[in-house]
């Protein structure tokens, strides 16, 4: 690979935006090529110098001046929320909302399960009772039919 | 209570003005720093930073939450700066050049350099050096400058930069490489001199 191609990679290498394998290749080349090594050093210095310049900040009262300009404009809101929806939207952070929603779902699921199991228990008792009575009737009916026939055979 | 950006956006969408104030206070310094890096003039940086937040106020409903809020905000910031530059191209008399900052009140005396004990580079003690760097940055094309400023000032990853500029990662890689190469050539003597 020519030095021109290696030099194009120096910037992303400086930003740590190359793969580990590619980084090793670049480092290997830099050890053997003084021109590329010097260029990499210069880019590194440039980066450090730019970083050393302290950030510029806006003057005090930035928001107040903005507010004045804002008073002439109105936002286009997604929707107007009223009543409980407004309270819901604004009262809890997202995590709180998720926790409330999960709790509500769990509570509903448990309530439903309890309700279902109590209903099915009652139904089972009723069915059992009906079955029992029916079997009793069947037994007595079979006894009535079988006994005379048995006596006749005897 | 500390709300995330997305929560503040949601609350503002529901009509809570205080959330907008919180967003402004959270990002005003960063937006100003980026704008200043691109336009190189304090007065204009203030004006354009305010313009950015005015647009946020008006168009926040367009933010769908598909990306992080700050990438949306930085894209808006870059758009405001570029459109201001385009407008100024039509007004030649008002073109500002960092090469002559004193014409616009930004005399070198106003530039504060980093605490020397924190910087290994003695050369930064020289204000002329800082001016040279700023001037070199200002001489880049708008696209290269914006990409370079967001990378160096805000330390956005290539992935985030690609989202801000809506281009590929390869394009970002190439832009940064070109920007740095141009800057390196412009201030090469200073780079060799630094220890």
């Amino acid at each position: 690979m020519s030095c021109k191609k290696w030099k194009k990679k120096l910037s992303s290498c400086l930003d740590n935006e190359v793969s580990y394998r590619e980084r090793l290749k670049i480092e290997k080349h830099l050890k053997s090529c003084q021109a590329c090594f010097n260029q990499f050093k210069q880019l590194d210095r440039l980066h450090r110098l730019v970083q050393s310049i302290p950030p510029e900040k806006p003057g005090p009262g930035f928001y107040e001046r903005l507010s004045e300009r804002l008073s002439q404009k109105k936002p286009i809101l997604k929707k107007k929320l009223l009543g409980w929806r407004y309270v819901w939207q604004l009262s809890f952070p997202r995590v709180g909302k998720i926790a409330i929603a999960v709790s509500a779902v769990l509570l509903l699921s448990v309530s439903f399960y309890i309700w279902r199991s109590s209903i099915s228990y009652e139904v089972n008792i009723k069915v059992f009772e009906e079955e029992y009575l029916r079997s009793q009737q069947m037994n007595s009916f079979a006894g009535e039919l079988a006994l005379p026939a048995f006596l006749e055979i005897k | 209570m500390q709300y995330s950006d997305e929560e503040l956006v949601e609350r503002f969408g529901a009509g809570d003005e205080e959330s907008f104030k919180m967003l402004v206070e959270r990002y005003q310094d960063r937006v100003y720093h980026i704008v200043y890096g691109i336009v190189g003039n304090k007065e204009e940086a203030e004006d354009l930073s305010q313009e950015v937040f005015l647009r946020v106020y008006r168009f926040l409903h367009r933010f769908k939450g598909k990306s992080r809020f700050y990438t949306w905000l930085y894209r808006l910031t870059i758009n405001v700066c570029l459109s201001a530059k385009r407008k100024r191209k039509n007004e030649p008399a008002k073109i500002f050049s960092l090469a002559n900052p004193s014409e616009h009140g930004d005399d070198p005396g106003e530039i504060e350099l980093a605490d020397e004990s924190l910087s290994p580079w003695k050369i930064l003690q020289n204000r002329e050096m800082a001016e040279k760097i700023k001037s070199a940055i200002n001489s880049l094309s708008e696209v290269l400058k914006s990409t370079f400023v967001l990378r160096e000032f805000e330390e956005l990853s290539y992935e985030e930069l690609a989202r801000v500029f809506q281009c590929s990662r390869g394009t970002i890689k190439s832009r940064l490489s070109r920007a740095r190469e141009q800057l390196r050539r412009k201030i090469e003597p200073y780079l060799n001199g630094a220890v």
Side-chain angles (χ1 to χ4, degrees), chain B residues 14-105:
Chain B
D16 180 32
E17 297 275 323
E18 193 60 26
S19 297
F20 177 73
K21 188 182 178 188
M22 287 162 85
L23 275 175
V24 174
E25 283 169 353
R26 191 173 288 178
Y27 281 101
Q28 65 182 32
D29 288 0
R30 286 186 245 179
V31 166
Y32 181 87
H33 188 42
I34 293 167
V35 175
Y36 183 82
I38 295 171
V39 300
N41 172 297
K42 284 186 178 178
E43 199 179 307
E44 197 180 359
E46 161 98 14
D47 188 48
L48 291 181
S49 302
Q50 295 217 344
E51 181 58 34
V52 169
F53 288 110
L54 284 172
R55 289 199 192 184
V56 170
Y57 191 80
R58 290 207 64 205
F59 301 120
L60 199 56
H61 65 284
R62 290 188 188 170
F63 174 66
K64 303 292 178 202
K66 287 178 185 168
S67 58
R68 300 296 301 273
F69 171 72
Y70 64 82
T71 55
W72 182 82
L73 176 66
Y74 291 161
R75 188 160 69 232
L76 195 66
T77 306
I78 298 297
N79 285 342
V80 167
C81 291
L82 296 185
S83 62
K85 281 267 177 184
R86 273 197 296 272
K87 271 184 197 171
R88 259 186 291 121
K89 274 186 182 172
N90 299 327
E91 301 167 32
K94 290 181 182 174
I95 286 180
F96 171 75
S97 161
L98 239 185
N100 297 308
S102 54
E103 283 176 21
H104 301 269

Side-chain angles (χ1 to χ4, degrees), chain A residues 52, chain B residues 113-122 124-125:
Chain A
S52 301
Chain B
L113 297 180
D115 183 351
E116 63 189 68
S117 63
L118 298 175
S119 169
W121 312 105
K122 300 259 182 187
L124 256 186
Q125 290 170 350

Side-chain angles (χ1 to χ4, degrees), chain A residues 108-132:
Chain A
L108 276 172
S109 310
V110 170
S111 310
F112 182 71
Y113 177 76
I114 292 169
W115 177 72
R116 279 284 297 186
S117 51
S118 65
I119 293 291
S120 61
Y121 179 71
E122 280 173 19
V123 169
N124 283 345
I125 290 288
K126 276 182 186 169
V127 170
F128 178 76
E129 281 172 357
E130 281 169 12
E131 290 260 326
Y132 177 75

Side-chain angles (χ1 to χ4, degrees), chain B residues 106-163:
Chain B
D106 270 355
D107 67 293
E110 290 176 35
I111 295 158
E112 289 175 41
L113 297 180
D115 183 351
E116 63 189 68
S117 63
L118 298 175
S119 169
W121 312 105
K122 300 259 182 187
I123 201 161
L124 256 186
Q125 290 170 350
N126 187 347
R127 284 176 176 161
E128 190 193 328
M129 177 68 208
E131 276 310 299
K132 274 278 172 196
I133 296 170
K134 288 185 177 185
S135 173
I137 294 172
N138 204 44
S139 70
L140 295 172
S141 73
E142 298 308 321
V143 171
L144 294 189
K145 195 195 306 179
S146 315
T147 315
F148 180 77
V149 162
L150 279 184
R151 171 65 208 172
E152 290 291 344
F153 293 2
E154 290 303 310
E155 294 177 350
L156 260 61
S157 70
Y158 285 17
E159 207 61 54
E160 289 170 321
L161 287 169
R163 257 180 263 136

Side-chain angles (χ1 to χ4, degrees), chain A residues 7-18 22 38-39 42-59 61-66 69-70 73-81 86 89-95 97, chain B residues 1 3 6-7 10-16 20-21 24 28-29 32-33 36 42 46-47 49-51 53-54 57-58 61 112-114 119 121 123-124 129 133-134 151-153 155 157-158 169 173 176-177 180-181 183-184 187-188 191-192 194:
Chain A
K7 281 175 181 172
K8 279 185 181 173
K9 291 173 184 281
L10 296 181
S11 166
S12 40
C13 182
L14 189 75
D15 289 329
N16 224 358
E17 293 269 359
V18 291
E22 204 168 11
N38 287 343
Q39 187 155 327
Q42 286 182 336
L43 289 178
D44 185 46
R45 280 174 184 163
L46 171 70
H47 168 71
R48 285 165 191 262
L49 286 171
V50 173
Q51 293 286 312
S52 301
I53 299 172
E56 294 290 339
K57 289 185 179 177
F62 180 85
Y63 185 76
E64 286 66 31
R65 289 191 295 281
L66 178 66
R69 290 173 73 176
L70 279 174
K73 304 194 179 196
K74 286 283 163 203
I76 305 161
L77 299 179
K78 275 184 194 169
K79 54 207 164 191
K80 279 274 175 200
L81 298 176
Y86 182 83
Q89 193 83 2
L90 297 184
S91 300
F92 308 105
R94 187 171 290 169
V95 179
K97 282 176 194 165
Chain B
M1 192 180 284
Y3 290 104
E6 286 71 23
E7 283 167 352
E10 203 175 304
R11 290 168 67 86
F12 176 63
D16 180 32
F20 177 73
K21 188 182 178 188
V24 174
Q28 65 182 32
D29 288 0
Y32 181 87
H33 188 42
Y36 183 82
K42 284 186 178 178
E46 161 98 14
D47 188 48
S49 302
Q50 295 217 344
E51 181 58 34
F53 288 110
L54 284 172
Y57 191 80
R58 290 207 64 205
H61 65 284
E112 289 175 41
L113 297 180
S119 169
W121 312 105
I123 201 161
L124 256 186
M129 177 68 208
I133 296 170
K134 288 185 177 185
R151 171 65 208 172
E152 290 291 344
F153 293 2
E155 294 177 350
S157 70
Y158 285 17
R169 211 170 155 275
K173 209 171 173 176
L176 284 172
S177 177
R180 285 185 172 129
E181 182 53 21
L183 291 175
R184 189 187 68 81
I187 57 169
E188 197 169 8
L191 297 173
N192 288 332

